[in-house]
Amino acid sequence: MQYQGRSKRSKTGARLRPRSKKDKSELGRSPTETTVGEPRFRTVDARGNVEKVRALSTNVANVSTDDGTVRATIEDVVENDANPNYARRNIVTKGAVIETDAGTARVTSRPGQNGQVNAVLVDE
């Protein structure tokens, strides 16, 4: 977990005095790096009586085509603009280009935040 509160320094570099101690709500979490594989999920408590479902790994994607939406199997991560190493490690994030049995698609959802992969077909 990482502290995501106010900076200890101002924009000009002057030291800011702390307004309070660290709050639990200011803690962050390490990113969920969703991989391609057998579906595995984890529920995480979020703020306001909400549970988030995080996809640890998945092999299905909801791909939007001209005709409608198709449930497709993910075969590979072709490229990932977030990090070149993510494509090598088959990590799916928003904006990643994936190879499915329905064709090449770009991910539009955030699998580590809502637990599902939604994608749109890419014209090659």
Side-chain angles (χ1 to χ4, degrees):
M1 295 206 178
Q2 124 189 33
Y3 178 62
Q4 292 183 329
R6 190 180 73 164
S7 172
K8 290 177 187 270
R9 296 282 173 173
S10 73
K11 198 175 358 179
T12 59
R15 180 173 160 263
L16 296 173
R17 299 207 174 264
R19 53 171 174 57
S20 63
K21 291 186 176 181
K22 296 177 183 178
D23 287 346
K24 182 99 165 80
S25 62
E26 292 171 343
L27 283 177
R29 288 191 176 98
S30 53
T32 305
E33 295 179 339
T34 306
T35 57
V36 177
E38 196 61 36
R40 286 176 35 235
F41 302 96
R42 175 169 293 148
T43 55
V44 177
D45 282 342
R47 190 169 172 143
N49 198 20
V50 174
E51 276 190 343
K52 285 184 180 181
V53 178
R54 296 185 181 237
L56 301 178
S57 65
T58 185
N59 57 6
V60 291
N62 304 314
V63 180
S64 293
T65 61
D66 296 333
D67 306 333
T69 306
V70 181
R71 191 173 170 87
T73 305
I74 301 173
E75 295 161 3
D76 192 27
V77 177
V78 179
E79 71 172 280
N80 196 327
D81 291 338
N83 188 337
N85 290 314
Y86 281 4
R88 296 185 193 121
R89 292 165 54 197
N90 270 354
I91 292 177
V92 182
T93 58
K94 182 177 178 178
V97 177
I98 56 175
E99 188 64 47
T100 66
D101 52 9
T104 307
R106 184 174 295 276
V107 178
T108 57
S109 66
R110 298 173 69 191
Q113 295 281 336
N114 57 20
Q116 61 186 357
V117 179
N118 298 331
V120 178
L121 279 182
V122 177
D123 296 327
E124 301 269 346

